[in-house]
Amino acid sequence: MENQNQNQNHNQNAKNQNAQNQNTKNQNASLHNHPAENQTQKQGNAPQAGENCIKISSVNKCYGKKQALTNVSLTIHQGMFGLLGRNGAGKTTLMKTLAALHKKQSGIITVCGIPIEQAKEIRSITGYLPQDFSMYPSMTVEESLDYLGVLSGMDGRIRKERAELLLKRVNLTEHRRKKVRALSGGMKRRLGIAQALLHDPKVLIVDEPTAGLDPEERIRFRNLLCEVAEERIVILSTHIVGDIEATCEDIAIMNAGRILWQGTVCELLNAAKGKVFTVNVNKKFLAQMKKDYIVTGMLVQNEYTTVRIISEETPSMLGAEHAEPNVEDAYMYCLYSHGCELSGGVEE
């Protein structure tokens, strides 16, 4: 009798576990179902197997006489991809081109197998968070999401379900009735991610998303992007090296409209090995050090300063030692090795 009771309990536990697993599957499925995506599949424009990537080949873009993009070629796969470059490097132009908001002059771009010229189809599978994201300030958080869903032509029931799930995901459920104008900078960025994900895109493009955020919000936002990237292609465009270091394995470095380098973070670090040094110098020699070397860091200690510098050869000064490069060192070395104008580690 005791064995029979144990078997019955075991079978009941198994049934409960199966029910929990099914509920989890249903919840995950509801987060990804969207009529626009289903309609795209009916029209035959849905990406085929093996096409879950972005391919960019020899793309050029001009604004009048100014060349904004020059022979840009990249392949971007599912997960987090970091596009790193200083202000004015052409990152935003490339992001808007990938989102079918700007037209290229020449070259080929396919997004999940769809040619970039099919702008309507591209926008149906792409979410975009611009650097200057803004919403109607008098609307509440939930009103703004609902309004955007209406503009996207989403079914009312699906729209509400998606908004509810996304508010929970970006941790804004408790602030749903707060006016947009009353949100902090970090909350507005999280609302921006929610609106970009509302139609469940296969590609998410975020342009300089953490600029101006405090450290806590920056970390929270980066973690959110990493979670989102488990299900789709996420492109993070930034000039902040720390954002790339904390979130991306595959990266590209851009300058003056050109791709200088593409690879993994480890490969970037390896390229800078043997090129970074530390040396202790008297403060009175700091100005000369900045003229002679690319300085990536300084630690002031009394009258002496420990300086990190980039150099192709071991500096002749006494006490110079090799240092293990960090991502910031490696990024600066990449710019330096490609002949970019730098002065003492400070951009002109």
Side-chain angles (χ1 to χ4, degrees), residues 33 98 178 233 316 342:
N33 287 334
L98 293 180
K178 185 176 288 188
I233 299 170
S316 59
L342 300 169

Side-chain angles (χ1 to χ4, degrees), residues 259-275:
I259 300 297
L260 302 183
W261 188 91
Q262 180 181 10
T264 66
V265 171
C266 288
E267 290 169 344
L268 183 65
L269 292 171
N270 286 335
K273 277 189 177 293
K275 311 298 182 182

